[in-house]
Amino acid sequence: MNEPRMAGTRVTVPAPLAQRARELAAGRLTPAVPTDAATVILLRQRSAVEAYLLRRVRALDFAPGACVFPGGSVDAEDADPDIGWAGPSPADVADRLSTSPERARALVCAAVRETFEESGVLLAGPSLATLVDDSAALARDRHALLTGTTSFGELLGRRGLMLRADLLVPWTRWLTPEASHRRFDTWFFAAALPPGQTAALEAPAERQDEDGPHPAEPGHGESDQGTWLRPAGALESARTGQITLLPPTAVTLGELATYDSVAVVLAQHRTMTMRMPRVMIEGDGVWLALPPPEPPPDQPPESRPPVSRPPVSQPPESQP
């Protein structure tokens, strides 16, 4: 077994991560510099709240086989001030995130771009009052973005669309442990599935020429499956070993499981406190200590139920 598993309230870690933790504690390693990243907790309302989870392909170096929310690293182009923007200003978003307006702009753009790339859902529209209502019509644009033949800014500009910053609700922020080989400073946003749009993996592109249609090309995404799950159902699937969850995903699902309405989730005004799991060394044992889930901000401390640890599995050298 090469993946961390829950052992009581502790998460066991794989040998490579344990060794890096010991090297770090001995002063023989310097922590890697984290890369900014953005993740969108895409939600829809059915009989209960459901979240969209992607299963990463097992051939990837980072988090192979794990079920995650759509998201990824911030690109340099995400900070382009010429990309259309609607909703609270970058300065207003920066206040919510406790960061600079430039960084806030890049994070919001990365969140929208990565969600479109990975799920086909586009949180954009021609104005603050309107939204894209048929993401399937943008299938060719999505394919061009994934293959690198267009940029996100070019796509939005050609379509006359603006990022809808008002649709993204800041939720939490996770920093990869110092002992990890690759580190990410990931900002989580919650958003509702827009009316008329459908979340799906990229449909393989069909090539058409004078000889007629040709077989579809392989997809270019990092996931091989996408599904809607109730947060409690996803956690139960992790407990029974049916799916693999990284710690931030599991903790976030545990928080979402306390809500019965997407509207209530999106009405939360949460403090973006950085949360970083810590690799703990006790004699011959090495384990991952997780920060507890954050209760609703309006819930008095004395009325909060005891925190239960969600089930997680962490592939080696991956973001916890």
Side-chain angles (χ1 to χ4, degrees):
M1 180 68 66
N2 196 32
E3 297 178 350
R5 298 287 179 182
M6 287 296 294
T9 58
R10 301 178 177 186
V11 182
T12 58
V13 301
L17 185 59
Q19 180 59 34
R20 285 185 60 85
R22 295 186 186 280
E23 294 285 325
L24 186 66
R28 293 189 291 269
L29 279 181
T30 300
V33 177
T35 297
D36 275 355
T39 286
V40 173
I41 310 161
L42 193 60
L43 304 170
R44 73 177 184 184
Q45 187 72 50
R46 290 295 186 265
S47 59
V49 174
E50 293 182 349
Y52 189 67
L53 291 174
L54 298 165
R55 187 180 67 189
R56 292 174 59 82
V57 298
R58 298 190 180 278
L60 293 175
D61 291 332
F62 172 70
C67 288
V68 299
F69 303 115
S73 300
V74 173
D75 292 342
E77 294 81 1
D78 292 325
D80 183 356
D82 293 329
I83 292 177
W85 181 286
S89 70
D92 289 337
V93 176
D95 286 342
R96 289 287 306 274
L97 303 182
S98 299
T99 189
S100 68
E102 295 77 17
R103 193 182 193 188
R105 173 182 281 277
L107 288 165
V108 167
C109 185
V112 176
R113 174 182 55 76
E114 287 282 348
T115 301
F116 181 57
E117 289 179 356
E118 296 196 333
S119 73
V121 172
L122 184 56
L123 302 172
S127 72
L128 186 58
T130 54
L131 259 175
V132 170
D133 59 6
D134 183 8
S135 52
L138 300 177
R140 289 185 180 276
D141 293 298
R142 182 185 180 192
H143 185 75
L145 184 62
L146 287 168
T147 55
T149 56
T150 191
S151 71
F152 193 49
E154 291 170 345
L155 186 161
L156 294 176
R158 186 173 63 254
R159 292 278 186 173
L161 300 174
M162 296 184 287
L163 303 176
R164 288 286 303 274
D166 58 307
L167 301 180
L168 294 170
V169 175
W171 191 260
T172 190
R173 180 183 178 188
W174 284 81
L175 184 63
T176 308
E178 292 182 337
S180 295
H181 178 65
R182 298 180 62 189
R183 302 186 67 211
F184 297 89
D185 188 351
T186 306
W187 308 68
F188 284 60
F189 301 87
L193 177 70
Q197 295 199 39
T198 302
L201 296 181
E202 186 205 13
E206 184 176 75
R207 183 164 56 90
Q208 179 85 27
D209 59 24
E210 61 183 9
D211 295 326
H214 287 251
E217 301 172 1
H220 295 267
E222 298 178 341
S223 304
D224 59 13
Q225 186 180 86
T227 187
W228 290 96
L229 292 172
R230 291 183 299 105
L235 293 171
E236 181 58 29
S237 293
R239 288 189 182 94
T240 58
Q242 299 176 60
I243 65 173
T244 296
L245 295 176
L246 301 182
T249 310
V251 171
T252 301
L253 288 168
E255 294 166 350
L256 293 172
T258 65
Y259 298 95
D260 57 10
S261 165
V262 172
V264 174
V265 173
L266 300 183
Q268 301 303 303
H269 194 290
R270 295 164 60 92
T271 301
M272 295 290 279
T273 303
M274 183 184 292
R275 306 159 80 179
M276 183 178 74
R278 299 186 181 276
V279 180
M280 311 298 291
I281 302 173
E282 290 184 353
D284 293 334
V286 181
W287 52 279
L288 192 70
L290 300 181
E294 294 183 3
D298 58 349
Q299 187 176 11
E302 61 273 11
S303 66
R304 294 170 185 170
V307 172
S308 60
R309 295 284 184 172
V312 300
S313 300
Q314 179 191 353
E317 297 298 325
S318 64
Q319 177 190 1

